[in-house]
Amino acid sequence: MLSCVSPHLFELLKRLFGTVHDTTMESLRNLQSYPVLRMKCSVSHDSDVTHERVALDGDFLSYAPDEDDRVGVYIAGHPLTPDTCYYETEIIDTGMDGSISIGLCSKRCPLDVHIGCVAESIGLMTDDGSLYREGSKGTQLCTRCECGDRIGCGIRFDQLTEGRGDAICMMVPVYFVRNGKELGTMLVSLPMGGLYPAVGMHSIGEEVRLFLGLNWVPEEDSLMSVDTNEEEWYRLSDIRLNGQVLEYTGRGKSIIDVGLAQARSPLNTTIHYFEIEIVDPGESCYIAIGLTRRDYPKHRHPGWNKGSIGYHADDGKIFIGSGVGAPFGPRCHKGDRMGCGILFPRDYVCQYDSDGGSIELSPSSQTEVDLLELSPDSSDSEDEDWWNNECAVEFSSKVKVFFTRNGKTVGMRQVHIPKGGFFPTIGMLSVQEKVRVDLRPLTG
């Protein structure tokens, strides 16, 4: 593939980006072999970042209007290069109008005009799905973008071509992606210094999350190079796995139609937290995240039966071994990230840390004891008949289970952990529900 890059263009690359290392040129050779990367990048807002009327909070950007309500713009500190030729922006909140522009621009672009509406810039407007290049009339690429959508933008450096006229002018294909599917490509000039990831905003409440330093290949190629993650799951009941996305396939008619996805390995002192992102809330957002014992019933939400605890998106309640929940946190909607983890005691000895496996339980090891114990600030008198009629497995010691929403802790409860461990579990119950799962967002 590098054969199309002439020595002259190689020199132009050096003039645009400075020194071009051998590893960078090797990246050009291998661009199409990269899998889809969803790196947990923490965006570093160094002194090279430029922004106005955009508030920065780690990976998150939000609109911060001035008294004139001008457009706010963020320009990343480093341009896309053959080594890092792609980035993504996740829409956390569309705000009042959803007038967000996502794309690339030079460092010379003004900070009060949407990306794509001025020279040396190209951008996709999320309010109507139109693509703009250097102020040209918009070209429709997709429908309006919503919360939870991930918009990607990248450059195919392997397809550099020389522009006419100015000897240092180069043209490169810039492409856009929505939720893993390519929308379209447009040829643009590559200015001196390169093209930088950029975001424009212009209505109250708009918020996005940046994922910089990625590489991307078309979906059909990534399906061949990225495994299906099936080995991570012990069982999937009325739930279909599509990469990292779980899709509900049940009838969704009554509580007996709960779909359950239970991970193969329990949480331990090394991998102690997992997350889901609500991609599609379906008809009712009957989505639950939590922890369950290994032999948990397949048609019960986490938290409903003994040996489990769960935080439910539709009503914000927590369920701990009982069909009666208690108020706990906010309701969750499309685009929200729900997390669940365990705070192990310092002296906790995890018997299943070494190989990620679990302790198999025989019927003789079961006993009629209360598996879970509520913390002092929770009611322990709810639905006692439910507790007494359920058969609980032997517990080992107490741990604190906590839940998060969009990276912020909602609350925690102290419970007894089953012998054999607590397994990450997701429950779903309404048609078209979809969640994206990350079983290992944090380690250590």
Side-chain angles (χ1 to χ4, degrees), residues 175-194:
Y175 61 96
F176 288 83
V177 175
R178 180 179 181 181
N179 298 331
K181 295 184 178 180
E182 186 171 341
L183 299 174
T185 302
M186 186 171 288
L187 202 63
V188 301
S189 59
L190 187 62
M192 290 293 294

Side-chain angles (χ1 to χ4, degrees), residues 43-46 48-56 58-62 71-78 87 101 103 105 107 110-111 113 115 196-201 208 210 212:
V43 177
S44 177
H45 299 300
D46 54 31
D48 293 327
V49 167
T50 54
H51 64 97
E52 289 185 8
R53 289 167 298 283
V54 173
L56 312 182
D59 300 348
F60 296 87
L61 313 179
S62 58
V71 171
V73 172
Y74 166 93
I75 303 177
H78 303 283
Y87 83 102
S101 56
C105 71
K107 274 293 187 180
L111 300 179
V113 183
I115 312 304
Y196 294 72
V199 177
M201 300 178 172
V208 302
L210 281 181
L212 299 178

Side-chain angles (χ1 to χ4, degrees), residues 107-161:
K107 274 293 187 180
R108 293 178 288 276
C109 284
L111 300 179
D112 58 357
V113 183
H114 269 301
I115 312 304
C117 296
V118 293
E120 299 184 343
S121 71
I122 180 171
L124 179 71
M125 289 295 303
T126 63
D127 59 348
D128 62 1
S130 293
L131 179 64
Y132 294 84
R133 181 186 65 178
E134 299 190 316
S136 64
K137 183 178 179 180
T139 301
Q140 193 78 29
L141 282 190
C142 63
T143 59
R144 176 185 173 90
C145 301
E146 303 293 346
C147 294
D149 283 342
R150 290 176 69 121
I151 307 301
C153 180
I155 298 176
R156 292 194 170 94
F157 285 99
D158 59 302
Q159 299 177 20
L160 289 168
T161 59

Side-chain angles (χ1 to χ4, degrees), residues 87-293:
Y87 83 102
E88 282 190 346
T89 300
E90 177 186 0
I91 301 176
I92 303 301
D93 196 326
T94 56
M96 296 178 63
D97 302 323
S99 54
I100 303 170
S101 56
I102 298 168
L104 302 171
C105 71
S106 75
K107 274 293 187 180
R108 293 178 288 276
C109 284
L111 300 179
D112 58 357
V113 183
H114 269 301
I115 312 304
C117 296
V118 293
E120 299 184 343
S121 71
I122 180 171
L124 179 71
M125 289 295 303
T126 63
D127 59 348
D128 62 1
S130 293
L131 179 64
Y132 294 84
R133 181 186 65 178
E134 299 190 316
S136 64
K137 183 178 179 180
T139 301
Q140 193 78 29
L141 282 190
C142 63
T143 59
R144 176 185 173 90
C145 301
E146 303 293 346
C147 294
D149 283 342
R150 290 176 69 121
I151 307 301
C153 180
I155 298 176
R156 292 194 170 94
F157 285 99
D158 59 302
Q159 299 177 20
L160 289 168
T161 59
E162 294 185 61
R164 296 179 180 178
D166 193 337
I168 65 170
C169 177
M170 285 191 296
M171 305 296 291
V172 291
V174 173
Y175 61 96
F176 288 83
V177 175
R178 180 179 181 181
N179 298 331
K181 295 184 178 180
E182 186 171 341
L183 299 174
T185 302
M186 186 171 288
L187 202 63
V188 301
S189 59
L190 187 62
M192 290 293 294
L195 289 168
Y196 294 72
V199 177
M201 300 178 172
H202 200 203
S203 75
I204 300 295
E206 291 172 352
E207 184 178 11
V208 302
R209 185 182 185 187
L210 281 181
F211 296 85
L212 299 178
L214 308 182
N215 286 289
W216 183 84
V217 293
E219 188 177 55
E220 58 269 20
D221 294 336
S222 67
L223 290 176
M224 293 185 291
S225 59
V226 180
D227 61 42
T228 60
N229 299 314
E230 289 183 359
E231 72 282 355
E232 294 184 334
W233 298 97
Y234 171 59
R235 57 178 170 170
L236 298 168
S237 175
D238 286 336
I239 287 179
R240 177 174 59 236
L241 178 64
N242 182 10
Q244 286 187 306
V245 176
L246 299 176
E247 304 175 0
Y248 177 68
T249 59
R251 298 181 305 164
K253 300 294 185 181
S254 68
I255 62 172
I256 65 173
D257 297 321
V258 170
L260 194 78
Q262 187 182 51
R264 183 173 297 277
S265 301
L267 293 186
N268 54 50
T269 54
T270 300
I271 302 171
H272 48 77
Y273 176 77
F274 74 105
E275 281 187 345
I276 64 172
E277 173 193 347
I278 301 176
V279 176
D280 191 331
E283 294 181 351
S284 306
C285 200
Y286 291 149
I287 296 170
I289 182 174
L291 301 170
T292 61
R293 66 178 191 256

Side-chain angles (χ1 to χ4, degrees), residues 370 372-384 387:
D370 284 347
L372 298 171
E373 177 176 293
L374 299 175
S375 60
D377 60 344
S378 302
S379 170
D380 58 3
S381 61
E382 295 176 336
D383 207 358
E384 291 184 358
W387 286 62

